[in-house]
């Protein structure tokens, strides 16, 4: 039998020696400017933001708390500061098609300048135009035009009146216009007198008046022509007056924006509209009755306003935007409406920008989960990236849900990088099921969960602690406290040769340690403060662990920690609750009997076993058959069960214990209940690594310690898990005092020897096992079961009745 020695205490906990640090407190350390352990992700981020090709947007994946946002934002801000100049964007009125506002691009800072210039221009125009129209010169010229018109009109009517008077007919002015009437001695003839006139005279008068009426109509046509000419002259005069009033002002503002052709064209359109609507400027204060007797609103000058949707204060302003609520409208923008006389109205001034507008020319950061949970947001983002333009459309208009006419703002060219943050699952699902995703997000930056633990990373980690301490205003940490933080980082990742990359947990731990140091009145944070913070975190989360331990110690959950039992072994189960995990021993039992080679997994039969656990049972069943039943029928029927478990069992870490329990049942050898075992088995009998090895050892240790350590208790683990050991101090001390043992094994034979105290045995040249060994006993039992099966099969054939002869069949 092989002699097994427990692991040395040096392998159970890998300390970080404070003496390796050349500082007393973190106040002496410089700021950390580099990223620890994320070189692959850093290279991917730098590549993604540097390459100027379509579709090379980034998807940043990795565990939460790994510092993804901080690292990426640091890269983006540095790149944005040295990148191309950002632009301002503004919407202005389209005087030709008001429902299609125009988008203007201006250098950074000049958008707000144009808005202010236009506001000042309109105020100056109102004063200048009003003054020009109230001048004596303007009134004199208007008087001349009116006098000329009146002169033509009076002359034409006077000549027609004189002609009518020559025929004893008068041209009369009435409220409804002009008319002709017969005269006698300069007086209009009354109806009765007119009736007494001779018939021939009446006919002569009517004929003359008819001719005069025709001439009057021609005069009226001429008057209308003169009136049109008067109106045209007044309009030309008004335009001339307006142009003279606005010309200098417009030339000044056009000169400021001569380098921007689109702005210059817009200012020309403004000048033309001002000239055509000069009345709005010099008649705006006149009170004109409106509907229902209400005073009419003053003419609106909103059409000359500038709606700056993206304004940057300086040319090098950072264009790094993080949108925390990525709805469709928050991404692509929206057109708002206001209520007016019971209806909803809008104009270009109510266009509101989205995150794409604000980040245009720079970088937009989004959380992919929030993006995917917002209706239409993902499709809207893809459409913008594919077309490389931002088109503001309402969802109702896009999907024909409403029929009202709305604005159609001119699309804005889009040039930016989008950075999505999400879990690895999100990335692979989108890559598999969304063809557009792989075209638009060609760069994946995968952040590590952990990084190697070396003397170099110890120094970088200490600087990281110092950086966080300085940033958050914490007390300086002593070097022993930094060493304890590093040890805890290794424990968090479950590997003595790795350190956790979860910066969020690190920040929380440093803040809580600072709290305990301040409460104790210390000016520096020591190792005891860090340990107290760790203990407090565990205490807040271990309610369920305490209840399970109590149930075991009271005998409600049956767990033996001494003596020996056939077909019974202590397995170790892990419970994960949020960011807290703990383990407890679980009784695993096995029974064996004659059968046809079937190993029944009770958990699976009642649908309380996961697929990986079922795989482990099938592997151990194959191992048994391959080792002991190569040349005979595998005549075993066995069952395995996790006793007193009422939830789903998943994972294969108990397969070594299950196999040991089954071999104990076959060999009829008791298993030491003072030991617990964990490990995954393969078909060759090799024990493979498992997870949460520290929690499993500590879980069994707590039960043994509560019942009293005897020195015979311990845990069997895979040898490949030794590097993962970062055990609690009380466990390490118990091992040092020979009160508890931890064994590392590589094969099932080593496990069964430790558990039974009987040699596993090796095959001789003839392929036989030693009879008294565990393997020999198992082989003998399986051989006996195979013989029984063959015996029963043969006996069954001899007892089979002959088939009845034809004609003598028994009828039911």
């Amino acid at each position: 039998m092989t002699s097994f020695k427990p692991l040395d205490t040096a392998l159970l906990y890998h300390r970080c020696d404070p003496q390796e640090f050349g500082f007393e407190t973190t106040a002496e350390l410089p700021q950390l400017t580099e990223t620890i352990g994320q070189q692959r992700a850093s290279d991917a981020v730098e590549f993604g933001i540097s390459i100027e090709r379509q579709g090379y947007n980034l998807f940043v994946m990795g565990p939460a708390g790994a510092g993804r946002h901080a690292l990426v934002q640091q890269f983006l801000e540095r790149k944005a500061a040295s990148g191309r100049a950002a632009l301002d964007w503004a919407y202005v009125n389209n005087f030709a098609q008001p429902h299609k506002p125009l988008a203007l691009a201006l250098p950074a800072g000049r958008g707000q300048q144009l808005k202010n210039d236009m506001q000042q221009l309109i105020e100056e125009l109102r004063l200048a135009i009003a003054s020009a129209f109230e001048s004596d010169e303007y009134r004199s010229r208007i008087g001349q035009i009116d006098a000329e018109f009146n002169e033509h009109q009076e002359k034409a009517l006077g000549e027609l009146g004189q002609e009518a008077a020559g025929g004893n007919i008068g041209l009369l002015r009435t409220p409804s216009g002009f008319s002709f009437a017969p005269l006698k001695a300069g007086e209009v003839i009354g109806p009765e007198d007119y009736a007494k006139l001779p018939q021939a005279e009446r006919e002569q008068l009517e004929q003359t008046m008819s001719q005069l009426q025709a001439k009057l109509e021609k005069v009226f046509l001429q008057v209308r022509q003169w009136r049109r000419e008067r109106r045209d002259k007044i309009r030309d005069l008004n335009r001339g007056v307006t142009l003279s009033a606005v010309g200098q002002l417009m030339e000044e503002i056009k000169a400021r924006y001569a380098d921007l052709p689109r702005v210059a064209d817009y200012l020309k359109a403004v000048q033309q509209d001002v000239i055509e609507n000069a009345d709005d400027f010099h008649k705006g204060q006149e009170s004109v009755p409106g509907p229902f007797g209400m005073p009419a609103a003053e003419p609106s000058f909103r059409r000359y306003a500038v709606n700056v949707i993206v304004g940057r204060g300086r040319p090098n302003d950072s264009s790094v935007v993080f949108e925390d609520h990525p709805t469709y409208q928050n991404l692509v923008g929206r057109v708002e409406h206001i209520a007016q006389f019971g209806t909803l109205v809008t104009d270009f001034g109510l266009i509101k920008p989205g995150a794409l507008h604000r980040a245009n020319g720079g970088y937009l950061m989004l959380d992919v989960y929030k993006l995917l949970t917002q209706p239409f947001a993902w499709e809207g983002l893809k459409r913008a990236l594919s077309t490389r333009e931002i088109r503001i459309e309402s969802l109702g208009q896009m999907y024909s849900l409403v029929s009202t006419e709305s604005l159609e703002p001119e699309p804005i060219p889009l040039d930016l990088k989008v950075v999505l943050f999400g879990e690895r699952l999100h990335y692979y699902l989108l890559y598999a099921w969304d063809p557009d995703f792989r075209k638009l997000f060609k760069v994946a930056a995968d952040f590590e969960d952990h990084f190697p633990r070396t003397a170099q990373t110890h120094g970088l980690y200490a600087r990281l602690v110092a950086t966080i301490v300085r940033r958050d205003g914490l007390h300086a940490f002593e070097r022993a406290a930094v060493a304890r933080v590093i040890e805890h980082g290794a424990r968090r990742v479950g590997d003595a040769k790795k350190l956790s990359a979860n910066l969020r947990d690190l920040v929380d731990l440093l803040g809580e340690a600072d709290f305990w140091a301040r409460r104790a009145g210390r000016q520096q944070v020591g190792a005891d403060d860090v340990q107290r913070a760790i203990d407090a975190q565990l205490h807040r989360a271990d309610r369920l662990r305490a209840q399970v331990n109590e149930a075991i110690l009271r005998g409600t959950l049956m767990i033996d920690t001494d003596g020996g039992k056939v077909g019974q072994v202590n397995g170790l189960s892990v419970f994960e609750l949020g960011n807290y995990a703990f383990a407890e021993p679980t009784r695993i039992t096995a029974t064996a009997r004659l059968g046809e080679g079937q190993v029944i997994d009770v958990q699976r039969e009642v649908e309380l076993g996961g697929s990986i656990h079922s795989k482990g049972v099938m592997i151990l069943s194959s191992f048994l058959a391959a080792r002991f039943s190569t040349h005979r029928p595998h005549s075993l029927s066995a069952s395995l069960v996790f006793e007193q478990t009422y939830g789903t069992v998943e994972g294969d870490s108990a397969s070594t214990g299950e196999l040991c329990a089954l071999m104990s049942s076959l060999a009829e050898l008791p298993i030491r209940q003072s030991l617990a075992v964990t490990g995954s088995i393969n078909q060759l009998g090799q024990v493979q690594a498992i997870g949460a090895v520290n929690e499993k050892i500590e879980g069994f240790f707590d039960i043994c310690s509560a019942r009293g350590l005897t020195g015979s208790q311990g845990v069997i683990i895979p040898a490949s898990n030794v590097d993962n050991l970062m055990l609690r101090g009380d466990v390490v001390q118990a091992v040092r005092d020979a009160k508890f043992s931890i064994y590392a094994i590589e094969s099932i034979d080593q496990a069964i020897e430790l558990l039974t105290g009987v040699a596993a045995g090796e095959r001789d040249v003839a392929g036989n096992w030693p009879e008294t060994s565990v393997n020999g006993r198992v082989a003998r039992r399986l051989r006996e079961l195979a013989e029984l099966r063959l015996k029963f099969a043969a006996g069954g054939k001899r007892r089979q009745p002959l088939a009845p002869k034809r004609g003598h069949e028994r009828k039911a």
Side-chain angles (χ1 to χ4, degrees):
M1 178 178 172
T2 305
S3 176
F4 292 97
K5 292 184 178 180
L7 292 177
D8 188 81
T9 54
L11 299 175
L12 305 184
Y13 190 85
H14 295 256
R15 293 184 66 247
C16 175
D17 187 0
Q19 299 303 319
E20 72 179 71
F21 297 126
F23 61 90
E24 293 298 327
T25 70
T26 55
E28 305 170 21
L29 294 176
Q31 194 88 356
L32 181 67
T33 57
E34 56 188 292
T35 305
I36 309 177
Q38 302 291 359
Q39 190 60 46
R40 180 184 293 105
S42 298
D43 292 343
V45 171
E46 186 172 7
F47 169 76
I49 65 177
S50 299
I51 184 171
E52 297 291 341
R53 293 181 61 85
Q54 186 177 4
Y56 281 83
N57 298 293
L58 290 90
F59 191 103
V60 180
M61 54 183 168
R68 297 173 297 169
H69 287 80
L71 173 64
V72 172
Q73 187 160 2
Q74 179 182 349
F75 269 104
L76 296 182
E77 290 179 349
R78 186 164 60 244
K79 181 69 174 179
S82 60
R84 57 185 178 276
L87 294 175
D88 287 353
W89 284 96
Y91 273 108
V92 295
N93 186 30
N94 184 345
F95 297 101
Q97 294 178 294
H99 69 289
K100 294 184 177 181
L102 302 176
L104 299 181
L106 302 96
R110 297 186 68 181
Q112 187 62 39
Q113 179 185 350
L114 176 61
K115 179 178 181 179
N116 296 337
D117 288 346
M118 287 300 299
Q119 289 176 346
Q120 183 177 357
L121 173 67
I122 297 305
E123 292 300 321
E124 292 178 352
L125 287 178
R126 295 182 70 177
L127 295 175
I129 294 174
S131 298
F133 279 94
E134 292 174 0
S135 65
D136 293 337
E137 180 183 0
Y138 174 76
R139 291 179 179 178
S140 174
R141 296 181 64 181
I142 286 292
Q144 292 176 2
I145 295 173
D146 289 342
E148 183 180 352
F149 169 74
N150 293 334
E151 180 182 352
H152 286 301
Q153 178 176 301
E154 292 300 326
K155 181 180 179 182
L157 292 175
E159 291 176 351
L160 183 60
Q162 291 176 2
E163 181 181 351
N168 291 324
I169 296 175
L171 178 60
L172 305 179
R173 293 178 183 267
T174 66
S176 59
F178 291 88
S179 65
F180 292 100
L183 299 175
K184 184 177 182 180
E187 297 292 336
V188 177
I189 300 175
E192 294 179 357
D193 294 337
Y194 182 76
K196 295 177 181 179
L197 293 176
Q199 179 68 27
E201 188 178 351
R202 289 200 306 271
E203 290 177 357
Q204 179 65 34
L205 288 173
E206 289 176 1
Q207 182 180 2
T208 302
M209 285 190 294
S210 177
Q211 293 172 353
L212 292 173
Q213 186 65 37
K215 291 182 179 181
L216 179 61
E217 291 177 0
K218 290 181 180 180
V219 170
F220 282 160
L221 291 175
Q222 188 66 37
V223 169
R224 282 196 289 270
Q225 177 63 28
W226 292 332
R227 185 175 287 115
R228 282 194 295 270
E229 292 176 358
R230 171 183 175 273
R231 186 170 57 248
D232 292 342
K233 289 180 179 179
I234 292 176
R235 183 174 61 247
D236 292 341
L237 174 61
N238 288 345
R239 287 185 176 181
V241 171
T242 304
L243 183 58
S244 65
V246 307
Q248 182 62 33
L249 296 174
M250 290 302 304
E251 290 303 321
E252 290 177 2
I253 190 172
K254 284 192 288 187
R256 296 191 201 118
Y257 299 94
D259 58 327
L260 302 172
R262 292 256 310 175
V263 178
D265 292 341
Y266 164 69
L267 293 175
K268 291 179 182 177
V270 169
Q271 180 174 346
Q272 185 64 29
D273 188 78
V274 169
I275 293 173
E276 293 177 356
N277 297 277
D279 287 349
D280 290 347
F281 288 86
H282 70 87
K283 294 183 180 179
Q285 296 181 352
E286 296 181 4
S287 179
V288 181
F292 309 107
M294 298 175 62
E298 291 188 5
S300 174
F301 297 102
R302 283 175 59 91
R303 63 182 183 273
Y304 304 117
V306 176
N307 180 13
V308 180
I309 62 171
V310 178
R312 311 183 196 280
R314 297 179 301 276
N316 60 346
D317 267 2
S318 174
S319 299
V320 180
V321 176
F322 177 73
E323 178 55 57
D324 186 56
H325 187 48
T327 63
Y328 175 82
Q329 292 184 331
N330 285 352
L331 283 177
V332 303
R334 64 190 183 278
V335 178
E336 295 184 343
H337 295 73
I338 57 176
Q340 193 173 86
F341 296 110
T343 61
L344 294 177
V345 296
T346 187
D347 62 17
F348 71 93
L350 296 175
I351 298 174
K352 303 300 179 183
L356 289 172
H357 295 93
R358 299 194 303 273
N360 200 9
Y363 308 92
L364 175 61
M365 300 190 295
L366 299 169
D367 183 276
V368 70
Y369 178 78
K370 294 179 180 178
L371 180 67
L372 294 174
T373 54
Q374 293 296 332
F376 309 106
W378 174 241
E379 293 300 322
L381 176 63
K382 290 194 300 180
R383 186 183 306 111
L385 293 176
S386 299
T387 61
R388 304 188 73 176
E389 65 179 19
I390 313 171
R391 184 180 296 274
I392 299 178
E393 294 179 295
S394 70
L395 293 175
Q397 182 181 3
M398 185 187 309
Y399 293 97
S400 301
L401 300 178
V402 294
S403 58
T404 56
E405 184 177 356
S406 183
L407 295 183
E408 298 177 22
E410 181 182 8
I412 291 178
L414 181 64
D415 181 18
L416 85 168
K417 292 277 188 180
V418 176
V419 182
L420 294 182
F421 294 88
E423 302 294 334
R424 296 183 178 97
L425 177 64
H426 298 144
Y427 176 82
Y428 293 117
L429 285 176
L430 287 171
Y431 194 90
W433 295 104
D434 191 337
D436 296 328
F437 176 76
R438 63 190 72 175
K439 298 176 185 177
L440 298 174
F441 293 88
K442 296 182 179 181
V443 181
D446 194 354
F447 275 69
E448 300 283 357
D449 301 78
H450 46 71
F451 53 87
R453 179 183 174 186
T454 63
Q456 180 182 5
T457 55
H458 279 186
L460 293 174
Y461 210 81
R463 288 176 59 191
L464 175 61
V465 171
T467 300
I468 297 173
V469 166
R470 197 170 291 120
R471 182 197 68 188
D472 295 348
L474 309 179
H475 283 337
F477 276 56
E478 299 173 354
R479 60 182 179 181
V482 174
R484 184 66 188 94
V485 169
I486 291 174
E487 293 168 356
H488 184 66
R491 171 58 191 260
R492 287 288 298 174
V493 79
D495 194 329
K497 296 184 177 180
K498 300 283 186 181
L499 286 176
S500 172
N502 194 314
L503 299 183
R504 184 183 304 167
D505 289 346
L506 174 62
V507 171
D508 292 343
L509 177 61
L510 298 182
E512 293 174 23
D514 175 79
F515 168 80
W516 293 114
R518 290 176 186 269
R519 170 167 285 193
R522 287 187 286 273
Q523 297 301 313
Q524 296 177 348
V525 180
D528 292 341
D529 299 314
V530 175
Q531 185 60 51
R532 186 171 183 181
I534 295 172
D535 294 341
Q537 288 179 347
L538 296 176
H539 179 68
R540 292 194 297 269
D542 72 345
R543 180 188 62 85
L544 184 59
R545 183 195 67 83
Q547 290 183 351
V548 175
N549 281 0
E550 181 185 5
I552 293 174
L553 295 176
R554 295 177 62 181
T556 305
L557 295 178
M558 294 186 291
I559 297 294
D560 293 330
T561 54
D562 56 15
K565 296 288 181 65
V566 174
Q568 176 178 305
V569 69
N570 288 325
L572 295 167
S573 300
V574 177
F575 301 85
E576 292 186 359
L577 304 172
N579 63 345
Y580 175 66
F582 68 94
E584 297 292 347
T586 302
R587 175 176 290 181
I588 302 173
T589 59
T591 59
R593 53 203 173 275
L594 180 62
E596 298 181 354
Q598 181 183 15
V599 176
I600 300 174
D601 177 10
V602 175
Q603 310 296 136
R604 180 183 180 183
E605 294 298 319
V606 297
E607 298 183 352
L608 287 178
S611 56
I612 298 177
H613 176 260
S614 298
K615 173 189 174 185
V617 173
M618 296 175 70
I619 288 174
L620 69 88
S621 176
S622 299
F623 167 79
L624 275 178
R627 171 173 279 196
F628 299 108
S629 302
T630 308
H631 304 295
R632 64 177 65 88
H634 193 51
S635 304
L636 168 71
S637 179
S639 59
L640 293 168
V641 66
F642 279 64
E643 302 289 357
Q644 291 186 289
T645 57
Y646 308 101
T648 302
V649 175
E650 180 60 304
D652 61 352
S653 64
S655 55
T656 296
E658 291 172 312
L659 180 55
C660 289
L662 185 53
M663 293 178 70
S664 166
S665 178
L666 289 169
E668 298 181 344
L669 288 173
I671 286 179
R672 293 170 57 190
Q673 299 301 296
S674 58
L675 296 177
V677 62
T678 183
S680 167
I681 197 73
N682 64 21
Q683 289 191 114
L684 302 178
Q686 297 169 324
V687 178
Q688 303 167 141
I690 45 83
V693 63
N694 295 293
E695 288 79 3
K696 290 178 177 179
I697 294 173
E698 291 167 358
F700 189 67
F701 173 82
D702 289 340
I703 298 301
C704 295
S705 178
R707 289 177 172 174
L709 296 175
T710 62
S712 63
Q713 297 146 333
V715 177
I716 302 172
I717 65 170
S720 50
N721 278 120
V722 172
D723 286 342
N724 302 119
L725 295 177
M726 286 294 292
L727 293 169
R728 288 195 323 243
D730 55 344
V731 180
V732 176
Q733 186 60 44
V735 172
R736 184 177 291 111
D737 296 340
K739 295 181 179 179
F740 195 78
S741 302
I742 298 171
Y743 301 94
I745 60 170
E746 296 179 347
S747 67
I748 188 64
D749 290 334
Q750 294 174 339
I752 199 67
E753 283 189 7
L754 277 168
L755 289 170
T756 62
V758 178
E762 297 182 1
R763 292 181 187 270
D764 57 21
V765 178
N768 298 317
W769 303 95
E771 286 296 320
T772 58
S773 68
V774 177
N775 285 320
R777 292 168 182 258
V778 172
R780 182 175 67 248
R781 178 70 185 280
L782 289 175
R783 186 169 58 248
E784 292 172 353
L785 292 175
E787 292 172 354
L788 282 174
R789 181 181 176 186
L790 292 173
K791 179 179 178 181
F792 288 149
K797 289 181 180 180
R798 288 194 298 271
R799 290 192 297 272
Q800 183 177 357
L802 297 174
K805 296 180 179 180
R806 186 175 299 276
H808 293 83
E809 292 89 352
R810 179 177 297 176
K811 297 181 179 180

